[in-house]
Amino acid sequence: MRKLVTVPVSLLGAAAAGLAYAHKVEPNLFRLRRYEVPVLPRGVRPFRILQVSDIHMIPEQYRKVRWLRSLAALEPDFVVNTGDNLSHPDGVGSVLDALEPLMELPGAFVMGSNDYLAAKPLNPTKYLRGGDPSKRTRGQGPANDWQKIRDGFTKAGWLDLTNRTDRLTLPGAAGPVVGLVGVDDPHIRRDDYATASSALTTATEEEPAPGAQSASGTSGTHSAARTLPGTDVTIGVVHAPYRRVLDAMSADGLPLILAGHTHGGQLRLPLYGALVTNCDLDRRRAAGLSTYAESHLHVSAGCGTSRFAQVRFCCPPEATLLTLTPRS
């Protein structure tokens, strides 16, 4: 009789401890990931990109603000913000305060659905079941003051990549010129890659030396890619990594795509990984650096959560420092 009581109580205790950890501890275990990505043409000097994503700021999250401000000490060449800065309408000031030191650096951004629309409670069982992402609409509900975030970013000189293309010339005598093509959030169907990529032109990589072989094992040129004219490399930027956008960017030959949105699954299980991605991307690409067709894809697990689901398990909040190097 004692065993029948003890076992359930112990399980309840373990569950309560796990929930307390997921709610109180892990959401504050901020970390920095580092990756080296060989995507640059030969002769282009390496440079570093700091990606921040899914801040989901709530007022009085002072620890998160301090951590984000501290990232400026990394001195990256530029910053890419992949959206969802807000989880509370009153979080705008805290976002701009947290990112103020980073906004002294060159940067670019796209918006996410939670920048535009106020967060609302979501049935967790519905979230875990997933669903058909193709049925999502352009989004409805009370709006956030997202224009104030956009204006703060652009006033600091960050490039707005909302369905458009732009370029960054990095400081230095041999500063690389980086092309950036971004789309608005596919999660609420605001993406327009055709418009965003209209400035790209087809360029064929240089002819190999006589007798040399291409990456496919045959002599001749590599397949043509579309790039922004006058740049050394062109990178794709999107908030939610829906396959329709990733397919288009990869088909254009963009060597690197940066995304967020998934929170790395937010809830992960050992040996299994993310439970869901909240889009049509497969679970194994829910966070970190992977390959997608012919492109490198980096999906940030982000550094925040919805204010209605402030839990993380086996998925600490993060930012990422990517060092881009020449291809071998």
Side-chain angles (χ1 to χ4, degrees):
M1 187 68 178
R2 181 177 297 174
K3 290 184 178 179
L4 293 177
V5 174
T6 303
V7 173
V9 168
S10 64
L11 290 177
L12 286 173
L19 182 60
Y21 167 82
H23 176 56
K24 293 292 187 180
V25 179
E26 189 163 310
N28 293 306
L29 296 180
F30 301 106
R31 67 177 182 179
L32 179 73
R33 283 184 183 263
R34 297 174 185 263
Y35 291 106
E36 187 172 295
V37 195
V39 295
L40 300 179
R42 291 188 296 265
V44 176
R45 73 163 175 85
F47 58 85
R48 301 188 304 163
I49 303 172
L50 176 68
Q51 183 184 356
V52 294
S53 191
D54 296 270
I55 296 170
H56 287 284
M57 188 66 76
I58 302 168
E60 300 182 356
Q61 286 188 320
Y62 304 122
R63 185 176 300 179
K64 183 191 295 184
V65 170
R66 288 194 299 269
W67 176 74
L68 284 166
R69 292 180 65 88
S70 74
L71 295 175
L74 297 168
E75 297 184 342
D77 290 284
F78 68 97
V79 180
V80 172
N81 181 324
T82 42
D84 269 9
N85 295 278
L86 293 174
S87 190
H88 193 288
D90 296 333
V92 174
S94 296
V95 168
L96 296 177
D97 179 35
L99 298 180
E100 181 185 23
L102 292 175
M103 287 191 290
E104 296 180 5
L105 302 167
F109 67 94
V110 292
M111 293 290 190
S113 60
N114 283 273
D115 293 311
Y116 296 119
L117 303 171
K120 57 185 179 181
L122 179 66
N123 185 333
T125 60
K126 181 179 179 181
Y127 175 80
L128 293 173
R129 287 198 308 268
D132 182 1
S134 66
K135 294 181 179 179
R136 299 195 184 278
T137 66
R138 293 179 64 88
Q140 298 176 345
N144 288 323
D145 192 2
W146 61 270
Q147 296 94 335
K148 186 175 289 186
I149 291 181
R150 178 201 60 194
D151 294 346
F153 290 169
T154 56
K155 183 178 180 180
W158 281 12
L159 304 178
D160 185 351
L161 300 178
T162 303
N163 293 325
R164 63 185 299 271
T165 300
D166 214 322
R167 71 190 70 208
L168 272 174
T169 301
L170 301 184
V177 182
V178 183
L180 298 161
V181 53
V183 295
D184 209 349
D185 191 4
H187 193 59
I188 49 175
R189 294 194 170 275
R190 295 174 66 119
D191 54 300
D192 184 357
Y193 183 71
T195 296
S197 62
S198 60
L200 303 183
T201 60
T202 301
T204 304
E205 294 189 8
E206 64 184 44
E207 187 87 24
Q213 291 189 330
S214 68
S216 62
T218 60
S219 60
T221 60
H222 292 279
S223 59
R226 297 182 71 207
T227 63
L228 187 62
T231 62
D232 295 298
V233 64
T234 302
I235 298 170
V237 183
V238 57
H239 173 65
Y242 278 81
R243 290 184 296 178
R244 65 179 182 272
V245 176
L246 302 183
D247 289 344
M249 289 182 170
S250 186
D252 273 345
L254 302 188
L256 176 62
I257 305 169
L258 304 179
H261 174 73
T262 66
H263 298 190
Q266 194 165 322
L267 303 175
R268 299 176 68 95
L269 296 179
L271 305 179
Y272 184 80
L275 301 180
V276 294
T277 63
N278 199 24
C279 62
D280 60 359
L281 186 68
D282 55 283
R283 291 186 304 103
R284 67 187 179 91
R285 294 189 178 94
L289 187 67
S290 64
T291 56
Y292 188 92
E294 300 301 316
S295 302
H296 288 80
L297 170 66
H298 179 260
V299 179
S300 172
C303 63
T305 67
S306 168
R307 63 188 170 112
F308 298 109
Q310 296 183 56
V311 293
R312 279 182 175 262
F313 190 76
C314 294
C315 188
E318 66 178 38
T320 309
L321 190 67
L322 300 121
T323 301
L324 275 56
T325 61
R327 296 187 293 267
S328 59

